Amino acid sequence: MPLKNPEVEFKGLIDDITRGFVQLFDTEAFKSRIRNFTNKHYDKGLLKGEAQVNMNFLRNTNNLEHLNNYSFTLVKDLTDDMSSALRKSLQEGLLNQESVSEIKGRVEAIFRGKDLKITDKNGNVRSINWRDRMTAIVRTESVRAENYGHADAIEQSGITFKKYVSVHMDARTSPICMTEDLKYGTPDKAIPMSDDFVVSVKGKIYK
């Protein structure tokens, strides 16, 4: 009697595991945590503006909704990549007829932040590390939310202000942020609050 293909035999199990993983990050409770995180840092920027001009301001609900949706999209993109890597790892383990403990080790390695190779929709193979990406998302989006709150406060004040960037430089700082720092990184390079920070990196424009 021919042996069954483990990938086919356990397809339902693989689907259930990866689906369950994605659903962990697609619940209303998790979305609520993202909203609380974004609101906290937005309010921090709003309070900074209030302290500057000794006035009280209201949240801009449209901007907050935009920030929350954007943050959730970033997290969803990450979980989609992780679920793809998890599915591939489980399939490889079953095809290699690995033991339960060996497959368990594969899954644990993913959640510990092992560098993973994934193939995107265009067929390009790239490496991801979910801990590094999540850290970058948290750091970037907390600053973004605070800046939005501060900008909204300044806009409500009716006072003319200018803005410049403050970039934390380390090994993970992107070329885009480095270019922004070079172009807008000091008070004398500040631009009007209504203008966008615009930089060109390798011929591509970023705002």
Side-chain angles (χ1 to χ4, degrees):
M1 180 177 179
L3 292 175
K4 292 183 178 179
N5 184 332
E7 185 177 351
V8 174
E9 184 178 1
F10 295 104
K11 182 178 184 301
L13 175 61
I14 294 173
D15 288 345
D16 287 344
I17 292 173
T18 52
R19 189 182 303 114
F21 167 75
V22 172
Q23 288 175 347
L24 285 174
F25 296 90
D26 196 30
T27 63
E28 188 57 37
F30 187 74
K31 291 179 181 178
S32 178
R33 294 186 66 179
I34 290 180
R35 282 193 291 270
N36 289 339
F37 171 85
T38 303
N39 292 351
K40 172 186 174 182
H41 289 279
Y42 177 91
D43 288 345
K44 185 177 178 181
L46 205 65
L47 289 171
K48 184 188 293 184
E50 290 180 347
Q52 281 182 292
V53 296
N54 196 28
M55 298 171 64
N56 294 323
F57 304 114
L58 299 174
R59 288 175 172 176
N60 183 318
T61 54
N62 289 333
N63 281 345
L64 263 178
E65 186 67 17
H66 166 74
L67 287 166
N68 280 308
N69 289 339
Y70 184 69
S71 294
F72 190 73
T73 297
L74 292 176
V75 173
K76 184 179 183 303
D77 287 345
L78 174 57
T79 55
D80 285 348
D81 283 347
M82 284 190 66
S83 65
S84 175
L86 179 61
R87 178 186 296 275
K88 180 180 179 182
S89 187
L90 289 171
Q91 289 172 336
E92 289 177 349
L94 291 170
L95 285 171
N96 294 336
Q97 298 185 348
E98 295 176 358
S99 66
V100 172
S101 61
E102 288 174 321
I103 294 177
K104 178 182 176 182
R106 283 175 171 269
V107 175
E108 288 178 343
I110 291 174
F111 285 92
R112 284 198 303 268
K114 174 186 175 183
D115 286 341
L116 305 168
K117 299 289 185 182
I118 67 164
T119 303
D120 63 24
K121 296 177 181 178
N122 298 319
N124 300 313
V125 178
R126 54 193 175 87
S127 179
I128 69 165
N129 183 301
W130 79 269
R131 287 185 181 274
D132 287 348
R133 268 180 65 181
M134 185 62 79
T135 299
I137 289 172
V138 169
R139 184 173 65 173
T140 302
E141 296 315 301
S142 62
V143 172
R144 189 193 308 275
E146 184 175 340
N147 287 343
Y148 257 83
H150 188 223
D152 285 345
I154 297 307
E155 182 178 352
Q156 290 180 53
S157 74
I159 301 172
T160 301
F161 282 83
K162 289 188 174 184
K163 62 184 179 181
Y164 64 97
V165 300
S166 177
V167 178
H168 175 75
M169 293 290 189
D170 60 24
R172 294 174 296 183
T173 304
S174 70
I176 298 171
C177 291
M178 290 180 182
T179 305
E180 282 188 335
D181 182 69
L182 184 65
K183 187 174 180 180
Y184 302 109
T186 56
D188 61 293
K189 297 177 181 177
I191 61 175
M193 294 294 294
S194 58
D195 290 357
D196 292 324
F197 294 119
V198 182
V199 295
S200 175
V201 178
K202 295 183 178 180
K204 187 173 181 179
I205 302 298
Y206 296 90
K207 293 185 177 182

